């Protein structure tokens, strides 16, 4: 699915290198319809289906909630694989760069809003998580001219905690499991806040460094022009 014919790579007959990674000639031929993008599209299409299943039969039917959990789990699994496949097999496209984060936020946002609307999850929890995601998106635009802040281990733990907690709330759990999901969500909220503050700190540092480098470059250019 990811291979590129020799004719498409300038007739050189280039083949994928060992391990399945594509050569430089094939990278430029990455199609919109590659497997990574298809997984992202599947995740986007799952959002309305997930909402209908979660709210089906009044939103409190254990069977419908189980189907909704299955859809949510599939979305989370595709989230783990599409980015990895895009990077490993050089399938990064402009569509993927835009659609992947939208799909991530869409499924998580839909789950949180529906759970709060059903009364299963406090609105403030939904507000904290979605507010953090919106704030980080705005920060990315704020510092994008100076560089990109890499994903941290804490950020990955946050994503895992959020996905696990929301998945447990989607299921109609009772007894000890219902108590456990409260604590898992508490951990997710703490990680959400802590990693968000860390991201703000990194963004401020990156912007300051970028501005300092820009001033130094301007001063050097002025000195050269004065000679």
């Amino acid at each position: 699915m990811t291979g590129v014919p020799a004719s498409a790579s300038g007739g050189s007959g280039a083949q994928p290198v060992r391990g399945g990674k594509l050569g430089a000639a094939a990278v430029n031929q990455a199609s919109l319809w590659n497997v990574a993008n298809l997984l992202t599209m599947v995740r986007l299409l799952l959002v309305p289906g997930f909402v209908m299943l979660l709210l089906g039969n009044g939103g409190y039917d254990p069977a419908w909630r189980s189907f909704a959990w299955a859809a949510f789990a599939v979305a989370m699994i595709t989230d783990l694989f599409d980015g990895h496949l895009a990077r490993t097999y050089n399938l990064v496209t402009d569509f993927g760069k835009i659609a992947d984060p939208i799909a991530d936020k869409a499924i998580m946002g839909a789950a949180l809003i529906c759970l709060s609307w059903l009364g299963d999850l406090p609105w403030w929890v939904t507000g904290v998580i979605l507010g953090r995601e919106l704030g980080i998106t705005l920060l990315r635009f704020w510092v994008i001219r100076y560089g990109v802040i890499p994903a941290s281990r804490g950020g990955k733990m946050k994503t895992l905690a959020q996905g696990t907690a929301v998945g447990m709330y989607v299921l109609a759990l009772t007894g000890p499991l219902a108590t456990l999901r409260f604590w898992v969500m508490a951990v997710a909220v703490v990680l959400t806040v802590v990693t968000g503050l860390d991201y703000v700190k990194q963004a401020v540092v990156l912007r300051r460094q970028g501005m300092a480098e820009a001033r130094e470059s301007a001063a050097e250019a002025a000195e050269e022009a004065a000679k």
Side-chain angles (χ1 to χ4, degrees), residues 53-168:
L53 290 170
L54 183 57
L55 301 180
N57 198 24
Y60 298 102
D61 188 309
W64 284 92
R65 297 284 284 257
S66 296
F67 289 130
W69 177 86
F72 183 79
V74 170
M76 292 295 100
I77 291 171
T78 60
D79 181 28
L80 294 175
F81 284 105
D82 59 359
H84 173 73
L85 288 172
R87 291 186 298 271
T88 301
Y89 295 98
N90 296 309
L91 299 176
V92 177
T93 63
D94 290 338
F95 171 82
K97 292 177 183 178
I98 297 172
D100 184 64
I102 291 176
D104 296 344
K105 292 175 176 57
I107 190 69
M108 183 61 69
L112 290 167
I113 291 172
C114 287
L115 288 170
S116 292
W117 186 74
L118 290 170
D120 293 340
L121 192 67
W123 277 106
W124 71 264
V125 173
T126 294
V128 167
I129 295 177
L130 296 186
R132 187 262 193 198
E133 297 304 322
L134 176 61
I136 295 305
T137 299
L138 295 175
L139 273 176
R140 287 195 180 103
F141 285 108
W142 188 53
V143 302
I144 193 170
R145 62 180 295 186
Y146 303 110
V148 177
I149 300 176
S152 65
R153 182 176 298 180
K156 295 176 181 178
M157 290 176 59
K158 178 269 302 180
T159 301
L160 177 61
Q162 283 183 0
T164 303
V166 170
M168 294 179 74

Side-chain angles (χ1 to χ4, degrees), residues 2-3 15-23 26 85 88-91:
T2 60
Q15 298 295 324
V17 299
R18 186 173 298 178
K21 295 185 180 180
L22 299 181
L85 288 172
T88 301
Y89 295 98
N90 296 309
L91 299 176

Side-chain angles (χ1 to χ4, degrees), residues 163-214:
T164 303
V166 170
M168 294 179 74
Y169 269 87
V170 169
L171 287 171
L173 300 178
T174 58
L177 289 177
T179 302
L180 177 62
R181 72 182 181 183
F182 169 84
W183 291 108
V184 175
M185 180 59 76
V187 171
V189 170
V190 170
L191 288 173
T192 296
V193 174
V194 171
T195 56
L197 293 175
D198 181 63
Y199 201 102
V200 171
K201 177 182 177 182
Q202 292 185 64
V204 170
V205 171
L206 179 61
R207 182 177 173 84
R208 287 177 177 172
Q209 291 176 344
M211 293 176 68
E213 292 173 358

